[in-house]
């Protein structure tokens, strides 16, 4: 049975930088409050005239292909993770396929909606396809446009200061090298808390005339609802559990980790995990300060930047971990 390795990583972030000082002009908040609560100093917002969820993913994939010294034509499958697709349907995977010029090749595109855990879920799906021998080269992407759904008001400031836009990608390839690549992935969920971090409307499970109403457009049910304290409490527990699970499965110790790349949800969560695992400062990668929470895109963006900065090297042990809406949580352990 073959293993899957990450041959290349890439990312794309929009040009527009939105600092905390910019948000101070739109709602009752301060730079100090945002930094203290989240660690975020700035984020990127898309340009509606040029950026889409699918073409941001395409640009990230092109960077990953270039770094992997591969051509788009070599991709056998696309796994696209997003909760902010271009359309209600079809999924953004086929739009990215078209933009890469792979529509004539008619490769499959799988869209998944696992929010902050989406990229690791996507890695796991791609890993299984490669292990079975069905595909040899797979593009796994996370891409999000959150800013167009944000309401810049006092009633939504606890959410709107957090999120940003961007895309990241990884190219997975089959390898015969034993002990190389993705060692294991671990996926979990608990639907008990689904409504603690969600967007309620417009949903399909209601009368036709109630699916989208003028009242909804004026209210907050079409905006993200987040019980921040509850999410934080569950996140720190599940992060630790799923990282420990990955290490135990592979008979590794926390000291063996060369770099932990957590989902960029909140700098306080990352710092808490670092302290609990007693990892050195340079062994946890964070870039939430510059991009905010880009949901499914946050881990691949961070992977891409960490690799470019020389913080990921051949044979390094890399741990990925995420927690988010669902609740879902996941981890992956990789021998790079």
């Amino acid at each position: 049975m073959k293993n899957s390795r990450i041959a290349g990583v890439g990312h794309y972030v929009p040009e527009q930088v939105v600092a905390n000082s910019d948000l101070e002009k739109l709602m009752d908040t301060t730079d100090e409050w945002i930094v203290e609560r989240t660690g975020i100093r700035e984020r990127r917002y898309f340009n509606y005239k040029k950026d889409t969820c699918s073409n941001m993913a395409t640009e990230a994939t092109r960077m990953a292909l270039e770094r992997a010294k591969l051509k788009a034509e070599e991709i056998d499958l696309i796994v696209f993770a997003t909760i902010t697709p271009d359309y209600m349907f079809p999924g953004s995977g086929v739009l990215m396929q078209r933009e890469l010029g792979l529509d004539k090749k008619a490769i499959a595109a799988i869209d998944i909606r696992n929010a902050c855990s989406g990229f690791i879920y996507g890695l796991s799906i791609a890993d299984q396809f490669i292990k079975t021998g069905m595909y040899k080269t797979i593009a796994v992407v996370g891409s999000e446009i959150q800013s167009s759904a944000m309401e810049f008001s006092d009633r939504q400031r606890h959410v709107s200061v957090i999120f940003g836009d961007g895309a990241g990608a990884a190219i997975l390839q089959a390898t015969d090298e034993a002990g190389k690549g993705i060692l294991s992935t671990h996926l979990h969920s608990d639907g008990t808390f689904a409504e603690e971090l969600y967007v309620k409307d417009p949903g399909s499970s209601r009368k036709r005339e109630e699916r989208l109403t003028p009242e909804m457009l004026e209210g907050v049910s079409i905006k993200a609802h987040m019980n921040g304290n509850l999410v934080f409490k569950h996140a720190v527990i599940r992060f630790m559990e799923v990282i420990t699970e990955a290490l135990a499965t592979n008979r590794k110790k926390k000291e063996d980790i060369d770099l932990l790349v957590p989902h960029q949800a909140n700098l306080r969560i990352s710092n808490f995990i670092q302290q609990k695992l007693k990892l050195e400062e340079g062994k946890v990668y964070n870039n939430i300060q510059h991009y905010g929470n880009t949901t499914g895109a946050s881990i691949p963006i961070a992977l891409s930047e960490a690799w470019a900065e020389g913080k990921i090297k051949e044979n390094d042990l890399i741990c990925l971990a995420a927690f988010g809406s669902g609740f879902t949580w996941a981890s992956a352990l990789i021998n790079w």
Side-chain angles (χ1 to χ4, degrees), residues 189-234:
S189 67
D190 182 353
T192 305
F193 304 97
E195 288 77 25
E196 301 298 342
L197 178 52
Y198 82 133
V199 175
K200 180 181 179 181
D201 292 313
S204 62
S205 303
R206 61 205 70 194
K207 295 178 182 179
R208 184 179 65 251
E209 60 270 20
E210 295 176 357
R211 185 162 177 170
L212 184 62
T213 66
E215 290 75 22
M216 287 180 189
L217 297 177
E218 294 299 323
V220 295
S221 67
I222 61 172
K223 308 295 182 181
H225 164 77
M226 180 174 66
N227 183 340
N229 289 334
L230 184 70
V231 171
F232 186 96
K233 291 176 182 178
H234 280 264

Side-chain angles (χ1 to χ4, degrees), residues 13-222:
V13 291
E15 295 175 357
Q16 184 184 4
V17 178
V18 179
N20 292 343
S21 58
D22 296 317
L23 299 183
E24 289 178 345
K25 303 169 185 176
L26 302 174
M27 64 193 86
D28 185 12
T29 191
T30 65
D31 173 69
E32 292 77 14
W33 186 89
I34 298 171
V35 172
E36 180 185 351
R37 296 298 183 92
T38 69
I40 300 167
R41 297 184 179 277
E42 60 187 24
R43 70 286 291 147
R44 301 294 182 97
Y45 285 173
F46 87 121
N47 180 340
Y48 72 92
K49 294 182 179 180
K50 60 174 287 192
D51 298 319
T52 67
C53 184
S54 55
N55 72 24
M56 291 197 309
T58 301
E59 290 305 310
T61 301
R62 285 177 174 148
M63 179 186 288
L65 285 167
E66 182 179 350
R67 289 172 171 176
K69 297 180 173 57
L70 296 171
K71 297 180 179 179
E73 293 74 22
E74 297 177 73
I75 296 174
D76 303 315
L77 171 70
I78 293 168
V79 183
F80 200 116
T82 186
I83 55 169
T84 57
D86 296 295
Y87 306 135
M88 184 70 74
F89 67 87
S92 292
V94 296
L95 305 181
M96 175 179 146
Q97 179 222 54
R98 181 175 65 189
E99 292 191 21
L100 283 172
L102 299 177
D103 44 321
K104 299 298 185 294
K105 189 179 176 183
I107 64 169
I110 299 173
D111 290 74
I112 59 174
R113 293 169 52 88
N114 293 95
C116 303
S117 304
F119 181 76
I120 300 180
Y121 268 68
L123 276 185
S124 185
I125 292 168
D127 184 41
Q128 312 315 314
F129 273 120
I130 287 176
K131 284 179 176 175
T132 63
M134 187 168 181
Y135 298 116
K136 294 181 180 179
T137 304
I138 302 176
V140 181
V141 301
S143 183
E144 305 285 3
I145 294 177
Q146 305 279 10
S147 61
S148 58
M150 295 296 104
E151 179 181 299
F152 298 100
S153 68
D154 290 350
R155 69 177 181 178
Q156 280 283 291
R157 61 186 171 186
H158 64 294
V159 175
S160 55
V161 300
I162 294 173
F163 294 98
D165 306 335
I171 305 298
L172 267 63
Q173 278 205 309
T175 177
D176 293 317
E177 194 172 347
K180 191 75 171 177
I182 296 177
L183 304 179
S184 65
T185 56
H186 308 271
L187 313 178
H188 299 281
S189 67
D190 182 353
T192 305
F193 304 97
E195 288 77 25
E196 301 298 342
L197 178 52
Y198 82 133
V199 175
K200 180 181 179 181
D201 292 313
S204 62
S205 303
R206 61 205 70 194
K207 295 178 182 179
R208 184 179 65 251
E209 60 270 20
E210 295 176 357
R211 185 162 177 170
L212 184 62
T213 66
E215 290 75 22
M216 287 180 189
L217 297 177
E218 294 299 323
V220 295
S221 67
I222 61 172

Side-chain angles (χ1 to χ4, degrees), residues 193-330:
F193 304 97
E195 288 77 25
E196 301 298 342
L197 178 52
Y198 82 133
V199 175
K200 180 181 179 181
D201 292 313
S204 62
S205 303
R206 61 205 70 194
K207 295 178 182 179
R208 184 179 65 251
E209 60 270 20
E210 295 176 357
R211 185 162 177 170
L212 184 62
T213 66
E215 290 75 22
M216 287 180 189
L217 297 177
E218 294 299 323
V220 295
S221 67
I222 61 172
K223 308 295 182 181
H225 164 77
M226 180 174 66
N227 183 340
N229 289 334
L230 184 70
V231 171
F232 186 96
K233 291 176 182 178
H234 280 264
V236 294
I237 293 171
R238 298 306 192 184
F239 262 108
M240 286 298 300
E241 287 180 351
V242 81
I243 293 170
T244 302
E245 180 183 9
L247 293 171
T249 298
N250 296 280
R251 299 180 181 177
K252 301 288 187 181
K253 299 178 181 179
K254 58 187 180 183
E255 293 81 11
D256 296 324
I257 296 175
D258 291 299
L259 190 68
L260 171 65
V261 183
H263 160 57
Q264 304 294 297
N266 188 306
L267 191 59
R268 289 192 299 153
I269 294 176
S270 294
N271 290 341
F272 179 88
I273 301 306
Q274 180 180 338
Q275 292 168 10
K276 282 291 184 179
L277 291 172
K278 297 180 180 178
L279 296 176
E280 299 172 14
E281 188 71 29
K283 288 196 171 187
V284 181
Y285 191 84
N286 292 300
N287 61 3
I288 189 173
Q289 304 94 319
H290 305 295
Y291 301 125
N293 182 345
T294 54
T295 320
S298 79
I299 287 179
I301 292 173
L303 268 181
S304 177
E305 289 202 328
W307 181 88
E309 293 168 13
K311 295 181 179 179
I312 297 178
K313 302 178 292 297
E314 188 82 10
N315 294 318
D316 275 357
L317 188 67
I318 309 300
C319 185
L320 313 180
F323 176 89
S325 176
F327 289 152
T328 62
W329 58 101

